[in-house]
Amino acid sequence: MIVLGIETSCDETAAAVVCDTPQPHIRANLIRAQLPEHQAYGGVVPEIAARAHLDHIEELIRRALDQAGVGVDQLDGIAAAAGPGLIGGLIVGTMAAKGMAWAAQKPFAAVNHLEAHALTARLSDSVAFPYLLLLVSGGHSQLVVCAGIGKYRVLGASRDDAAGEAFDKIAKLLGLGYPGGPAIAEAAHSGDPKRFSLPRPLKGRAGCDFSFSGLKTAVRQTIAECPPRTDQDLADLAAAIELAICDSLVDRTTNAVAWFHRHYPQGSTLVAAGGVAANQRLRAELSALASAADLDFIAPPPELCTDNGAMVAWAGLERLRLGLTDTFDAPVRPRWPLDGSSPTATAA
Ligand code: KG4
Ligand code: ZN
């Protein structure tokens, strides 16, 4: 199968073409970030994001098809992220996909953006079900058992900020740019993570939930008491923040691994996905955890961890090849939990 995927749920406009034969691969994967449009406002402005998607989506789709060397008539389906995310952007992407699918009489797939992150490791590394997933992005932090397409069990989630949101908010406190994760990771390179001591919320407690707002408050206090004056101060604080977030994520994942071993003894893989999974320290720590627990560790390449069109195309392909299509009245859903199923999906 060969499928076009469109992603417009936040501040990246993306279009991609993926194929599953002879094995999963990407034929084109184009992305246009909107950083300059939002920079002056210190965060993503939903109205501006939706307009920017509208201005660029058509050209990105055309270029993706060109680069993949396929015409619309050769596609087996068209997928778009239909949620969760910013409603204006979601409408732009899904309407583009529905319009094309209607005109070309192709099946349409309304993809859950979280499911797209969850399935990326099957595109990049052909990971088999069941696997344990740490999904960490700007909007979500979750530990999930992925048992099959549409079969997800959420073991724990963030009680307040998502991990990426914590990186972004704390980076703002430090005057580092957006997105905060890469900015803090960059600053942390030359830092001493032990100079500042920061809390690890929920560490050592049972369960798989996360919490990051206490860490944000602790950083705010540290800055008030001891404002970073030199590049070295900033680097040391950034390193402590990165270490604290990674430690928290790894601690909660350790609990999830124990649960996964008990309930899915046949499962052999720990997967990381979402923008924060691009973090090198986190990847190294999860890899060590997995090998100690006798699991393989798979994280897609960093450019497939952050939002992209290929993951949406791939999730669409996986659904369509099972006969799961969506009708043209499929809604966009600003909130769409991974373990709640699409109301319009029908098995053909
Ligand atoms: O998955 P994603 O691109 O978008 C959402 O679905 O939210 O994730 C974006 C998040 C942002 O919060 C960003 O700061 C974080 O991923 N991020 C990182 C890194 N690259 C992106 N966090 C830590 N280290 C990174 N290298
Ligand atoms: Zn995402």
Side-chain angles (χ1 to χ4, degrees), residues 21-347:
T21 37
Q23 64 268 324
H25 66 280
I26 298 173
R27 298 273 286 260
N29 191 18
L30 300 182
I31 184 154
R32 181 190 176 275
Q34 302 175 356
L35 290 177
E37 282 98 324
H38 301 286
Q39 212 141 40
Y41 305 93
V44 177
V45 183
E47 267 295 304
I48 294 177
R51 278 163 209 255
H53 288 308
L54 196 55
D55 288 344
H56 297 282
I57 190 70
E58 218 178 302
E59 193 211 332
L60 273 171
I61 292 171
R62 192 169 301 127
R63 280 176 40 218
L65 290 173
D66 273 359
Q67 213 179 83
V70 290
V72 180
D73 51 319
Q74 288 159 281
L75 294 172
D76 293 296
I78 299 173
L86 301 174
I87 193 157
L90 293 170
I91 290 173
V92 173
T94 51
M95 289 307 284
K98 286 177 185 177
M100 282 180 74
W102 179 77
Q105 306 214 342
K106 300 289 179 185
F108 164 67
V111 165
N112 181 320
H113 178 94
L114 300 176
E115 182 173 38
H117 277 305
L119 298 177
T120 307
R122 289 171 54 79
L123 166 63
S124 62
D125 295 85
S126 297
V127 175
F129 295 122
Y131 53 89
L132 176 64
L133 168 73
L134 172 67
L135 172 46
V136 269
S137 68
H140 297 84
S141 297
Q142 301 184 342
L143 278 155
V144 183
V145 174
C146 300
I149 302 299
K151 294 189 182 132
Y152 306 105
R153 177 162 181 171
V154 177
L155 304 182
S158 183
R159 297 179 182 177
D160 39 58
D161 294 344
E165 195 179 357
F167 270 117
D168 295 339
K169 286 180 175 170
I170 292 173
K172 208 167 167 180
L173 293 177
L174 291 173
L176 296 168
Y178 177 86
I184 288 180
E186 169 79 30
H189 264 312
S190 48
D192 169 11
K194 301 224 167 66
R195 182 171 148 208
F196 294 96
S197 119
L198 294 171
R200 274 85 169 132
L202 297 180
K203 186 168 179 185
R205 302 245 204 111
C208 303
D209 281 352
F210 304 91
S211 168
F212 293 104
S213 68
L215 175 64
K216 188 180 58 195
T217 308
V219 173
R220 188 180 287 120
Q221 267 163 7
T222 305
I223 294 172
E225 283 159 19
C226 170
R229 295 187 202 285
T230 64
D231 285 351
Q232 193 57 50
D233 292 343
L234 195 62
D236 292 345
L237 191 50
I241 293 159
E242 188 185 44
L243 181 65
I245 294 178
C246 290
D247 268 6
S248 298
L249 291 171
V250 168
D251 176 70
R252 316 316 290 160
T253 308
T254 307
N255 291 356
V257 163
W259 191 96
F260 184 63
H261 271 318
R262 276 201 306 281
H263 293 85
Y264 291 86
Q266 76 280 28
S268 60
T269 314
L270 171 66
V271 169
V276 179
N279 185 277
Q280 294 303 330
R281 174 183 276 274
L282 179 63
R283 292 163 84 99
E285 289 192 16
L286 289 172
S287 172
L289 161 64
S291 81
D294 209 16
L295 293 173
D296 295 327
F297 174 66
I298 301 288
E303 66 278 13
L304 293 182
C305 288
T306 46
D307 287 352
N308 63 88
M311 69 182 195
V312 174
W314 179 255
L317 185 152
E318 291 236 44
R319 293 179 64 79
L320 292 170
R321 92 182 154 187
L322 292 179
L324 295 168
T325 62
D326 288 278
T327 50
F328 291 139
D329 58 359
V332 292
R333 305 174 67 178
R335 299 173 68 82
W336 188 356
L338 193 49
D339 48 3
S341 61
S342 163
T344 65
T346 48

